[in-house]
Amino acid sequence: MCLCPDTSGTGTQAVMDGGTSAESRVPRPGRQPGASGEGAWAPRMVSSPWSLSRGRARVAAAVLCYINLLNYMNWFIVAGMLLDIQNFFQISDSNAGLLQTVFVCCLLLSAPVFGYLGDRHSRKAALSIGILLWSGTGLSSSFISPQYSWLFFLSRGVVGIGSASFSTIAPTVLGDLFVRDQRTRVLAIFYIFIPVGSGLGYVLGSAVLQLTGNWRWAFRVMPCLEAVALILLIVLVPDPPRGAAEKQEEAAVGDPRSSWCEDVRYLGRNWSFVWSTLGVTAITFVTGALGFWAPKFLFEARVVHGLQPPCLQDPCNSQDSLIFGILTVVTGIIGVVLGAEAARRYKKVNPRAEPLICACSLLAAALCLFLALILARVTLLASYVFLVLGELLLSCNWAVVADILLSVVVPRCRGTAEALQITVGHVLGDAGSPYLTGLISGTLRAARPDSYLQSFLSLQYSFLGCAFVIALGGGCFLLTALRLETDQARARQPGTGTSDSKDAESQALLSSTGSVAENL
């Protein structure tokens, strides 16, 4: 009996009886199957096709989720201690936004490189290199003296390069371990750790600051957690062949690997991918601005309402970072689960469910965000309520947009597709939104009298553009819905996509064993 990948994702299935798993009968070179004469068929020792049990796949997914948690904690740990870092390095609001911009710019510049490597070489090795980069650099940044603030900016850029490897490659590994509803559920759990990790980044930063009185220790705790993640990755996470879960026997065997430019042209003609990428860009623009500046905005709102004294010396009160972090964690978990479950159920009656759910949630989030900003000066309670609703609606999209990409792109282009979506999303999204928000706030503040009220109003007005951007994102997902079924059908067509040498060997083995089974 020969074991081959089971397209249901439940383990392995038998495809041939009458032989051992290590031996298959294949035609000799120059002879046709079924030809008469001795030696027309000869036994040949071959290895079994790639397969993985359901338990091991779940363990691998759990490890990747844990690393995703640490990845996004690194994204927002600075925002949780922003006031103290600004005071330590003497950084203004407009320049403080550059911390996140440098991080994201380095991430987006390196994402296409990791996407190319992830489609052609060992994904496990690329993931390991990324973890080593971001953990080592994060630890080193905790020893930078105040006169070398530029070195702290540079360290955030290197952390972004390491983060790019995981953000680009990890979803494609999950896509090759699970299919259909199983993949939707696993991606939902995986993407829960975006808001959870982001929120815990605030929580860790503010908690360590309160315990030690020094923001540097937050960067010294993280490498310990990341060392555990690296060991678990090496030991427990496999590197499956591209498209292994889908068992794409129709892929062209032995065809030369397409070039990166050909992959990009294919994706550029995939309108579901294009429109959904622009929708993701709107989400990243808003989450980038909110994630970086919302704790400070809430702090200044409390000062204006007389509930909090202004921060004049270190350490600043980090209560707002802690509150915002907890809200991000809770709304992230609930939002991702609701979005994924709604998509799974709605798909049974409407094949365009995923982009429609994204569109509706973003349009509603735009309204909630607008109300949260406007009401912040009048009543903090109502502002918090609408902010929570807005974050909840934004979180509904994380797993759904990933499933859209995996359903409309052929397996062996998914690494490149993830990289391009990350690059475009960050170039036009959160690479500039924290800096742009800080720049607008600084410009408005310079033209007004110097007071805490004017500082709050300047940051409030700079946020209002986010509501408009997120509404545009909802429109992009409506356009995605118009093309979804066509592009999904194209992704399932035989011979669509590319293959590399490792995958070609696996597919050849599948084809040969299938042919032998028919002749036997």
Side-chain angles (χ1 to χ4, degrees):
M1 178 182 292
C2 179
L3 299 180
C4 292
D6 180 0
T7 56
S8 68
T10 60
T12 56
Q13 64 179 5
V15 297
M16 184 177 69
D17 292 320
T20 63
S21 61
E23 182 177 290
S24 298
R25 306 186 73 179
V26 295
R28 290 182 177 180
R31 305 297 297 270
Q32 296 298 321
S36 62
E38 184 180 1
W41 292 96
R44 179 182 174 187
M45 300 298 293
V46 296
S47 60
S48 299
W50 188 90
S51 63
L52 193 70
S53 67
R54 176 186 292 184
R56 284 203 61 196
R58 288 176 174 174
V59 170
V63 173
L64 292 176
C65 287
Y66 171 63
I67 302 174
N68 200 33
L69 174 74
L70 300 180
N71 181 26
Y72 278 90
M73 286 177 70
N74 268 306
W75 279 54
F76 291 100
I77 194 171
V78 168
M81 309 176 294
L82 182 59
L83 286 171
D84 294 271
I85 292 175
Q86 282 185 270
N87 291 340
F88 183 81
F89 288 110
Q90 294 299 303
I91 303 173
S92 64
D93 275 3
S94 57
N95 289 330
L98 280 175
L99 281 170
Q100 195 74 349
T101 298
V102 169
F103 173 91
V104 174
C105 283
C106 290
L107 182 147
L108 65 89
L109 289 175
S110 55
V113 177
F114 284 112
Y116 180 90
L117 296 175
D119 277 343
R120 291 158 176 80
H121 300 286
S122 170
R123 290 179 285 190
K124 194 170 179 176
L127 292 173
S128 301
I129 292 171
I131 295 174
L132 286 172
L133 269 179
W134 88 52
S135 61
T137 306
L139 177 62
S140 301
S141 66
S142 68
F143 298 99
I144 297 174
S145 59
Q147 62 265 33
Y148 295 106
S149 59
W150 63 270
L151 196 55
F152 187 77
F153 280 82
L154 180 62
S155 71
R156 293 303 296 165
V158 179
V159 171
I161 294 174
S163 181
S165 68
F166 189 81
S167 299
T168 303
I169 297 172
T172 69
V173 176
L174 291 174
D176 287 332
L177 292 175
F178 302 92
V179 291
R180 301 188 183 94
D181 283 353
Q182 289 184 358
R183 185 169 68 191
T184 301
R185 292 191 183 100
V186 170
L187 287 174
I189 296 171
F190 179 79
Y191 281 99
I192 279 175
F193 290 96
I194 292 181
V196 171
S198 303
L200 288 180
Y202 297 113
V203 172
L204 177 68
S206 60
V208 171
L209 184 61
Q210 287 181 356
L211 290 173
T212 65
N214 190 337
W215 60 268
R216 294 168 177 267
W217 281 102
F219 289 102
R220 296 168 186 172
V221 172
M222 286 296 296
C224 301
L225 304 174
E226 289 153 353
V228 175
L230 181 60
I231 294 172
L232 293 175
L233 173 70
I234 294 172
V235 174
L236 299 176
V237 178
D239 189 2
R242 284 85 176 166
E246 280 105 337
K247 190 185 174 184
Q248 293 215 340
E249 298 175 30
E250 71 276 5
V253 176
D255 287 348
R257 186 64 162 97
S258 65
S259 68
W260 185 81
C261 291
E262 289 171 335
D263 289 350
V264 172
R265 282 197 295 269
Y266 157 72
L267 294 170
R269 295 191 296 268
N270 189 326
W271 285 104
S272 294
F273 172 77
V274 171
W275 288 119
S276 63
T277 297
L278 292 177
V280 170
T281 301
I283 297 173
T284 57
F285 183 95
V286 175
T287 55
L290 280 177
F292 197 79
W293 289 108
K296 184 173 183 179
F297 175 76
L298 295 173
F299 176 86
E300 293 187 347
R302 285 162 51 82
V303 172
V304 169
H305 282 275
L307 302 174
Q308 172 72 46
C311 178
L312 301 177
Q313 61 181 4
D314 295 340
C316 296
N317 189 326
S318 57
Q319 179 182 0
D320 296 288
S321 294
L322 185 62
I323 293 173
F324 186 74
I326 294 172
L327 291 178
T328 301
V329 171
V330 174
T331 57
I333 293 173
I334 298 173
V336 172
V337 171
L338 285 179
E341 189 63 19
R344 187 182 70 83
R345 293 176 180 271
Y346 192 29
K347 272 194 299 187
K348 296 177 180 178
V349 295
N350 188 344
R352 300 177 179 180
E354 291 165 325
L356 290 177
I357 287 173
C358 290
C360 292
S361 63
L362 290 187
L363 292 174
L367 177 60
C368 289
L369 179 59
F370 178 79
L371 292 174
L373 293 172
I374 294 299
L375 294 174
R377 186 181 175 185
V378 181
T379 167
L380 272 180
L381 178 61
S383 179
Y384 268 105
V385 170
F386 283 109
L387 182 62
V388 168
L389 289 175
E391 281 203 290
L392 180 69
L393 291 165
L394 285 174
S395 298
C396 288
N397 298 279
W398 291 118
V400 181
V401 296
D403 214 9
I404 291 174
L405 183 148
L406 294 174
S407 69
V408 300
V409 176
V410 293
R412 293 176 183 85
C413 284
R414 287 174 182 167
T416 300
E418 289 281 356
L420 285 178
Q421 190 167 91
I422 288 172
T423 300
V424 173
H426 290 310
V427 166
L428 303 178
D430 57 356
S433 64
Y435 175 69
L436 183 62
T437 302
L439 182 63
I440 294 174
S441 175
T443 302
L444 293 175
R445 186 174 179 178
R448 298 168 182 266
D450 188 13
S451 68
Y452 294 115
L453 175 62
Q454 295 305 325
S455 175
F456 164 76
L457 291 176
S458 298
L459 192 53
Q460 180 190 48
Y461 294 150
S462 67
F463 265 140
L464 288 176
C466 293
F468 176 72
V469 171
I470 206 66
L472 288 180
C476 290
F477 280 112
L478 289 176
L479 293 173
T480 304
L482 297 177
R483 295 284 308 184
L484 184 72
E485 293 179 277
T486 301
D487 291 327
Q488 284 178 334
R490 286 179 57 199
R492 291 192 296 264
Q493 287 178 358
T496 305
T498 57
S499 59
D500 60 18
S501 59
K502 177 182 176 182
D503 299 330
E505 181 181 352
S506 176
Q507 300 298 343
L509 185 57
L510 285 172
S511 300
S512 63
T513 54
S515 299
V516 173
E518 291 177 2
N519 283 277
L520 286 176

